[in-house]
């Protein structure tokens, strides 16, 4: 694809010039224009300020003459740079011919796109391409208001990348690829990557992201959601950070889905089931409505396609005024005409009122194609800190679901378990009390869950090292405490099942 533009956005670099992208990549790496190099140059405060759309600290930190400072000003801060300075670092003629740079006046050059260094999970030096003003902070932060704009890396992007299961697969599908971040991650462990987007500009930028990062090209297809996918095509992994914002209309392509309410998120989840291979995963970020008179968990359970297990985690809830204000600020509407801002705010509230929406939830949805007639659907609220990456935690959750589905209480008592790594025990009670009021097991990894257990549950978990069956451990505890071993065996499997489900105990063998 040669350089393209829509009516209101500048032309993009050519994506048909892999040799130009390769030469630019070599030059960027040679100047330490990497995630680590950027942090070292700017320092943590200025680096963090960029993510908040504040560029002044970075401008102050790049007033010198080093190649790295020049590249930051050129590709991240949209500053014109003298031709002679650029020529000492980049292959200027190639960059001009292929469209990465353009002339600004007689002796200065500017970048045509943002290029943000991005560290891959294996230490890779990647680069995320986006529209000007959108590498950091979002479109609203630096003033870009065009509906076709393509954003770079944001918190949602990195969250989805972190929770995605990364087992090697034959095929992966990135729905609504945007600047190609999820496709780039998938290229590390998928033999074939397909990426779709309704915005052709996004597909072009995805091609640039992959080429500049030294990743294999993806199969890029234009269209909404699964429309570009043939009926006979299925995948081992599907990921999507869709335009999930629940808004009146579809003013901004990068965030507004164009369907009423949370219908876009519901549609993508429901349609993913038939696109998954057996054992495959589909993982999404989403918003969902909290509707008066309706249980939000039941609403989400109704989205899960048949034949799929699901784990749905609500990370945050905002009332409708907070939600509207968040996305009005995202678009920069708060900086414009006050009357127009109020009218748009009013339109959001009218939309929510008409749908009887009282709040909006945000979180992640993970599906696994199990083929089981008795699907397992877990919907929970977990606003607490977690430890990313969580891909392995997600995979292990579904493995445990399989295990528990095939082990009744008798089988659990025959099984052996080991206490998961970095689980600690806390005893809670009044100072000086002989016995604690309750005992808490707490994870220091992954979801960082905490759960109350009784003294028997705590003692059981503490003894589990994979060498002795659960029933034998309970018999020993019964003898120690003078309890009836039969009664103890009858009442404890439910607690064992919960500890396994939440990842405190791991089956052995």
């Amino acid at each position: 694809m040669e350089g393209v533009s829509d009516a209101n956005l500048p032309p993009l670099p050519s994506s048909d010039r892999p040799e130009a992208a390769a030469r630019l990549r070599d030059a960027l790496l040679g100047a330490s224009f990497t995630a680590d190099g950027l942090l070292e140059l700017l320092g943590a405060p200025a680096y963090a300020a960029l993510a908040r759309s504040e560029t002044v600290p970075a401008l102050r930190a790049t007033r010198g003459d080093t190649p790295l400072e020049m590249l930051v000003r050129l590709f991240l801060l949209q500053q014109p740079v003298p031709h002679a300075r650029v020529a000492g670092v980049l292959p200027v003629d190639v960059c001009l011919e292929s469209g990465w740079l353009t002339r600004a006046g007689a002796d200065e050059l500017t970048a045509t796109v943002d290029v943000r260094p991005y560290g891959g999970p294996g230490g890779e030096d990647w680069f995320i391409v986006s529209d000007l003003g959108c590498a950091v902070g979002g479109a609203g932060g630096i003033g870009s208001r065009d509906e076709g704009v393509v954003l770079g890396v944001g918190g949602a992007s990195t969250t989805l990348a972190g929770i995605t299961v990364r087992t090697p697969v034959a095929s992966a599908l990135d729905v609504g690829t945007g600047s190609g971040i999820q496709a780039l991650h998938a290229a590390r462990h998928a033999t074939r990557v397909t990426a779709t987007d309704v915005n052709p500009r996004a597909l072009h930028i995805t091609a640039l992201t992959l080429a500049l990062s030294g990743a294999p090209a993806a199969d890029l297809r234009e269209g909404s959601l699964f429309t570009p996918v043939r009926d006979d095509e299925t995948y081992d992994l599907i990921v999507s950070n869709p335009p999930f914002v629940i808004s009146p209309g579809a003013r901004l392509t990068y965030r507004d889905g164009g369907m009423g309410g949370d219908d876009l998120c519901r549609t993508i989840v429901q349609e993913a089931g038939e696109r998954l291979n057996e054992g495959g995963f589909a993982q999404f970020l989403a918003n969902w409505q909290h509707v008066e008179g309706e249980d939000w968990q039941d609403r989400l359970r109704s989205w899960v396609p048949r034949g799929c297990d699901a784990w749905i985690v609500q990370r945050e809830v905002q009332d409708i005024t907070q939600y509207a204000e968040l996305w009005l600020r995202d678009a920069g509407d708060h900086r414009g005409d006050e009357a127009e801002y109020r009218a748009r705010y009013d339109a959001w509230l009218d939309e929510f009122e008409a749908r009887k929406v009282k709040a909006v939830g945000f979180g992640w949805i993970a599906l696994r194609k199990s083929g089981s007639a008795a699907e397992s659907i877990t919907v929970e609220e977990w606003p607490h800190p977690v430890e990313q990456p969580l891909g392995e935690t997600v995979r292990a959750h579904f493995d445990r679901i399989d295990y528990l589905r095939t082990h009744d209480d008798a089988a659990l008592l025959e099984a052996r378990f080991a206490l998961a790594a970095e689980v600690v025990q806390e005893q809670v009670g009044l100072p000086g009390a002989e016995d604690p009021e309750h005992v808490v097991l707490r994870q220091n990894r992954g979801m960082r869950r905490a759960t109350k257990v009784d003294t028997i549950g705590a003692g059981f978990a503490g003894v589990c090292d994979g060498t002795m069956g659960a029933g034998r451990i309970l018999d020993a505890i019964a003898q120690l405490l003078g309890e009836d071993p039969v009664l103890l065996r009858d009442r404890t499997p439910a607690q064992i099942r919960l500890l396994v489900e939440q990842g405190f105990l791991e089956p052995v063998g």
Side-chain angles (χ1 to χ4, degrees), residues 115-134:
V115 176
R116 174 175 172 174
Y118 181 76
E124 301 90 349
D125 288 316
W126 289 340
F127 300 98
I128 307 300
V129 180
S130 61
D131 271 310
L132 290 173
C134 299

Side-chain angles (χ1 to χ4, degrees), residues 245-373:
V245 176
I246 300 171
S247 62
R251 186 162 61 103
L252 300 174
T253 304
Y254 70 86
R255 69 170 204 192
D256 301 326
M259 296 185 185
D262 52 17
D263 284 353
L264 183 136
C265 291
R266 175 185 55 80
T267 299
I268 194 171
V269 172
Q270 289 181 335
E271 293 184 358
E274 63 186 27
R275 303 295 185 182
L276 276 178
N277 291 326
E278 196 75 15
F281 288 90
Q283 296 183 252
F284 317 99
L285 298 186
N287 277 180
W288 43 78
Q289 299 172 149
H290 286 230
V291 180
E292 291 181 17
E294 178 182 273
D295 187 309
W296 67 271
Q297 293 183 328
D298 289 342
R299 181 182 191 86
L300 290 173
R301 287 188 185 94
S302 73
W303 291 8
V304 178
R306 292 180 63 85
C308 288
D309 296 328
W311 183 19
I312 303 173
V313 181
Q314 179 167 273
R315 297 286 290 151
E316 184 180 0
V317 181
Q318 291 185 322
D319 68 48
I320 57 175
T321 59
Q322 292 174 310
Y323 189 81
E325 291 162 14
L326 169 66
W327 295 110
L328 287 167
R329 287 194 301 271
D330 172 81
D333 292 326
H334 63 304
R335 297 177 178 175
D337 179 77
E338 185 176 350
E340 184 178 356
Y341 172 78
R342 289 180 176 178
R344 284 182 170 158
Y345 196 152
D346 209 35
W348 281 68
L349 298 184
D350 284 344
E351 177 81 4
F352 287 132
E353 183 178 331
R355 295 181 175 276
K356 298 184 178 180
V357 176
K358 58 184 180 179
V360 177
F362 168 82
W364 66 67
I365 298 174
L367 306 178
R368 198 272 310 267
K369 187 71 170 285
S370 65
S372 173

Side-chain angles (χ1 to χ4, degrees), residues 151-165:
L151 269 61
V153 180
S157 303
T158 55
T159 294
L160 179 59
I163 67 173
T164 300
V165 176

Side-chain angles (χ1 to χ4, degrees), residues 166-179:
R166 296 298 176 191
T167 53
V169 294
S171 58
L173 172 65
D174 177 13
V175 179
T177 188
S179 56

Side-chain angles (χ1 to χ4, degrees), residues 175-229:
V175 179
T177 188
S179 56
I181 301 163
Q182 309 307 325
L184 180 58
H185 277 275
R188 293 185 71 245
H189 63 104
T191 304
R192 175 173 58 90
V193 177
T194 302
T196 72
D197 205 291
V198 70
N199 183 1
R201 190 175 182 88
L203 297 175
H204 190 115
I205 284 180
T206 291
L208 297 175
T209 290
L210 294 172
L212 195 59
S213 297
D219 179 3
L220 304 176
R221 304 184 191 180
E222 182 181 346
S224 177
L225 302 183
F226 294 103
T227 303
V229 178

